Amino acid sequence: MTTDSNLDARRHRTVVWVVALATVGLIFDGYDLVVYGTVVSKFLRDASQIGTVTPATAGALGSYALVGVLVGALLAGSVGDILGRRKVMLFSYAWFSFGMGLTAMTTTTTMFGLMRFVTGLGVGALVATTGALVSEYAPKGRKNLCNAITYSGVPLGSLLAAMLAILWLQHVGWRGMFWIGALPFVTLLPLAYFKMPESVAWLVSRGRLDEARAISQQTGVEIPGIMPSAAGGVPPASAGKAGFAGLFVSYLFPTLILGLMSATGLVLVYSLNTWLPELMLRAGFNARGSLSFLLVLNGGAVIGALAGSRVADTFGPKPVVAACFLIGSISISLLTLKVPLGVLLTVVAIVGLGTSGTQTLIYGFVANYYRTNVRGAGVAWCAGFGRLGGVVGPLLGGLLISIGLALDSIFYILAAVGILGVLLTLLVPSARGPRELPSTSIEPSLRAKPGKLASSGIKKS
């Protein structure tokens, strides 16, 4: 009984570390997402910052980071199922930290846009890999919840950016806001190096059984599919081709639909997070008031994603994602009504649930849809191809503002995008076949020698 208790304690501690570190990483992703939206109004009105910035230019600058995210996510999908989750995530923390610091030192629109693209490469690789690692450590029946907690880091980071902009922007300027985004290099990266293990399921799927046993012994996480053969070997946890090759051979239609679904969600996420402060400024609110809407938007996203994930673990993610898209569409339409400020803020919070909150649930949906050896590629596709929607979002907002479209018309167009998301979600077919083999405990004779622990991506504590 004591042994079982110790095993459960180690397993619980490991899951907590993995989810916590992954969440903090995505908090900085969310911060990167919104920090530009908090300073874009300053760029539009003060050419001394990085040069003359028109609404169309501002939309383009907002999209450069998302092009980088797209490229970074797809590159990570190509290597993440081959090199491992841990290596890609550690590299991503370092990369986007440097990118944020270098962005803070730019003086022209050209260099600002270039460094936003460079930063996006690291952010994309991180988003593409995080869901796979968390899904492979999350306990059964809690996978959507663990992914929702993790990906709630994105709206939490967005909320943090809005809050810090309200409190500090006038004191530290836009450069100080970007320097904050470089902090993971000296905080999160060292901690993750010592505390974030490689995925046991991924190691088994690659046939790296000694390392899998070592991490299993250290973390208490069971090895999937431990079924010793006559030769003493263990079959891989996943069959078939790995990475994008396996993804498009075994899951072609659902992968295309999931990519389009993610892209649709990200059109809403990035258009609102980039342009909502400016739209509310044009609606008559002052600078701080307009940033407060961004704060409420992302607060609603966090609460909505966590609540939705509990329902998704019970009824499945597909109907929940479809319902959240519908809620987002309806609530965006309601922004056109003339209502008291308190009611308007409530509606904005519901918009957050139906946009950023929905996107959080989509990542959990995708991470649990695929088998182990294509999971990283599947999440990468969702994050990478989906970022086409992220590229379109800021450009769409800039275009609609540039042509002088009324605020009500802009909101109705975004509401129509939400309806498209509902339809795409309903087209996703049910997942076929097992995503993992059954997990069983490790026999004592199969456990690794202590000396192999350090080479497996987690340090002995």
Side-chain angles (χ1 to χ4, degrees):
M1 183 64 102
T2 304
T3 301
D4 290 342
S5 298
N6 290 339
L7 186 67
D8 289 341
R10 289 204 309 274
R11 185 184 300 122
H12 177 74
R13 188 164 56 246
T14 300
V15 172
V16 169
W17 270 111
V18 168
V19 172
L21 290 170
T23 302
V24 173
L26 292 185
I27 284 175
F28 282 98
D29 170 30
Y31 183 89
D32 175 80
L33 157 67
V34 165
V35 70
Y36 175 68
T38 67
V39 303
V40 68
S41 294
K42 190 173 187 66
F43 288 166
L44 288 168
R45 291 166 174 79
D46 186 356
S48 68
Q49 301 301 318
I50 57 172
T52 301
V53 177
T54 65
T57 303
L61 290 175
S63 293
Y64 291 153
L66 306 178
V67 174
V69 172
L70 185 157
V71 174
L74 294 179
L75 287 174
S78 300
V79 301
D81 283 321
I82 298 172
L83 296 182
R85 323 298 193 208
R86 170 184 154 85
K87 289 179 182 177
V88 174
M89 291 177 71
L90 294 179
F91 181 79
S92 300
Y93 294 150
W95 185 281
F96 79 72
S97 296
F98 272 114
M100 290 291 280
L102 291 173
T103 303
M105 296 188 286
T106 59
T107 56
T108 66
T109 54
T110 300
M111 286 306 299
F112 183 88
L114 176 61
M115 294 317 304
R116 290 294 287 159
F117 170 80
V118 169
T119 304
L121 293 174
V123 172
L126 178 63
V127 175
T129 312
T130 297
L133 182 71
V134 171
S135 179
E136 287 158 5
Y137 271 102
K140 188 177 181 181
R142 294 290 184 270
K143 291 185 180 293
N144 284 292
L145 177 60
C146 286
N147 268 287
I149 291 171
T150 300
Y151 279 98
S152 288
V154 177
L156 273 174
S158 303
L159 188 153
L160 178 65
M163 184 182 300
L164 291 181
I166 292 171
L167 297 174
W168 290 355
L169 180 58
Q170 61 181 339
H171 303 295
V172 302
W174 73 267
R175 298 182 192 278
M177 295 295 293
F178 276 83
W179 274 116
I180 292 171
L183 288 177
F185 187 76
V186 293
T187 54
L188 178 60
L189 179 61
L191 192 58
Y193 179 80
F194 288 102
K195 291 294 186 180
M196 181 179 287
E198 183 55 271
S199 163
V200 174
W202 175 82
L203 288 168
V204 173
S205 77
R206 301 300 296 176
R208 294 163 60 174
L209 306 179
D210 287 344
E211 294 171 81
R213 294 181 186 113
I215 293 182
S216 180
Q217 180 189 28
Q218 176 73 7
T219 63
V221 174
E222 296 171 341
I223 296 182
I226 289 293
M227 297 164 56
S229 66
V234 181
S238 301
K241 294 182 178 179
F244 281 116
L247 186 69
F248 288 106
V249 167
S250 304
Y251 297 93
L252 178 59
F253 178 73
T255 294
L256 293 176
I257 297 298
L258 287 168
L260 289 170
M261 185 177 75
S262 178
T264 301
L266 286 171
V267 168
L268 296 174
V269 171
Y270 280 88
S271 57
L272 288 170
N273 276 287
T274 300
W275 288 109
L276 187 61
E278 178 65 19
L279 291 174
M280 290 307 180
L281 204 60
R282 292 174 181 238
F285 295 92
N286 61 31
R288 284 198 172 193
S290 64
L291 287 171
S292 297
F293 284 101
L294 203 56
L295 194 70
V296 173
L297 178 79
N298 287 287
V302 174
I303 296 171
L306 293 177
S309 69
R310 299 301 297 269
V311 182
D313 273 325
T314 303
F315 298 102
K318 178 177 173 177
V320 179
V321 170
C324 286
F325 262 128
L326 182 60
I327 290 169
S329 178
I330 293 171
S331 55
I332 291 172
S333 299
L334 294 178
L335 292 177
T336 61
L337 301 178
K338 305 301 181 185
V339 295
L341 180 59
V343 176
L344 181 60
L345 289 172
T346 301
V347 172
V348 170
I350 299 172
V351 171
L353 181 159
T355 55
S356 293
T358 304
Q359 192 64 29
T360 297
L361 295 173
I362 288 173
Y363 285 128
F365 185 4
V366 172
N368 295 306
Y369 190 86
Y370 297 104
R371 67 174 188 256
T372 300
N373 68 345
V374 299
R375 183 173 292 125
V379 178
W381 171 259
C382 176
F385 181 84
R387 260 359 188 245
L388 287 174
V391 173
V392 170
L395 290 173
L396 177 63
L399 174 64
L400 296 179
I401 291 174
S402 294
I403 63 177
L405 209 60
L407 289 181
D408 286 2
S409 298
I410 293 174
F411 287 132
Y412 284 134
I413 289 172
L414 295 178
V417 174
I419 295 298
L420 176 60
V422 175
L423 297 176
L424 287 169
T425 305
L426 295 176
L427 286 175
V428 178
S430 300
R432 294 178 290 104
R435 267 83 83 190
E436 266 96 22
L437 291 178
S439 294
T440 58
S441 299
I442 308 171
E443 296 297 329
S445 61
L446 295 176
R447 288 182 179 166
K449 295 180 176 64
K452 293 191 176 182
L453 289 173
S455 65
S456 305
I458 186 169
K459 307 301 176 186
K460 218 174 175 181
S461 48

